[in-house]
Amino acid sequence: MVQTGKVLPLGELLKEIEPLRGKKRIVFTNGCFDILHAGHVHYLNECKKLGDILVVGINSDESVRRLKGSKRPIVPLEMRAYVLANLKAVDYVVPFEEDTPYNLIRAIKPDVLVKGGDWDIDRIVGKDIVESYGGKVLTIPFRFDISTSNLIEEIKKRYCPGGE
């Protein structure tokens, strides 16, 4: 299988995208992407339509644990990043250790910053940075009523006695 995207640390990513700045429209989004589902794929496809290069920040395993609890992630970072990088819409995947992608956004300086429709625009981390240089901050409405957390709960109900 041919890998379509690249998983890179921030320094290497910046070396790749810097020559493209001003010539290509860079879109950035981020998330845990623990158990990939149709909602994720639709969202990433919509993100890609907003520009030429889609960079996806992905939370490290420790970061996911801090955000989602000690039993998450289900899928380790290396595998989550591999799956994302092999989606047609995704050009680059960049892991990060912090709880938010603020430092990534400051370094990458995307033309467009995107989050899902469940985010209020004013609460989007990095909005201040992107708007400071004239970039756009957008949300994309959900097409599918699905989430990793809901998938986990459904699996527990179906396969675990007592749903625990």
Side-chain angles (χ1 to χ4, degrees):
M1 184 200 279
V2 176
Q3 188 166 330
T4 55
K6 295 181 180 179
V7 179
L8 298 174
L10 180 59
E12 288 181 39
L13 171 68
L14 294 176
K15 288 178 192 171
E16 292 226 2
I17 65 172
E18 200 53 46
L20 307 173
R21 197 173 301 286
K23 299 174 188 145
K24 301 280 186 180
R25 191 171 167 104
I26 299 168
V27 179
F28 178 86
T29 193
N30 69 283
C32 299
F33 300 99
D34 193 359
I35 297 175
L36 209 64
H37 53 69
H40 289 131
V41 175
H42 173 261
Y43 172 73
L44 294 168
N45 286 339
E46 293 300 304
C47 287
K48 178 65 175 191
K49 291 177 184 176
L50 299 171
D52 303 301
I53 297 167
L54 176 57
V55 178
V56 178
I58 186 170
N59 294 73
S60 70
D61 291 345
E62 271 305 309
S63 176
V64 174
R65 275 190 276 285
R66 288 191 302 270
L67 295 170
K68 305 284 187 178
S70 62
K71 294 182 180 180
R72 300 275 302 273
I74 302 296
V75 180
L77 173 63
E78 183 179 329
M79 291 184 218
R80 291 183 287 124
Y82 177 83
V83 171
L84 280 176
N86 279 280
L87 295 177
K88 185 176 180 183
V90 177
D91 296 295
Y92 297 99
V93 177
V94 57
F96 64 99
E97 296 290 333
E98 300 87 1
D99 292 348
T100 74
Y102 194 80
N103 291 329
L104 276 185
I105 294 164
R106 186 173 47 212
I108 294 167
K109 298 180 192 90
D111 299 295
V112 183
L113 171 61
V114 189
K115 287 299 284 181
D118 56 333
W119 281 83
D120 176 44
I121 289 253
D122 292 329
R123 286 186 36 247
I124 295 175
V125 170
K127 175 183 183 281
D128 58 328
I129 297 168
V130 174
E131 289 182 343
S132 75
Y133 53 77
K136 292 185 179 180
V137 179
L138 304 169
T139 60
I140 293 177
F142 293 135
R143 178 174 174 196
F144 300 100
D145 183 21
I146 189 170
S147 72
T148 298
S149 296
N150 290 346
L151 283 172
I152 291 169
E153 288 307 311
E154 186 62 28
I155 290 166
K156 285 166 54 177
K157 278 197 295 189
R158 290 186 190 194
Y159 296 99
C160 300
E164 294 299 318

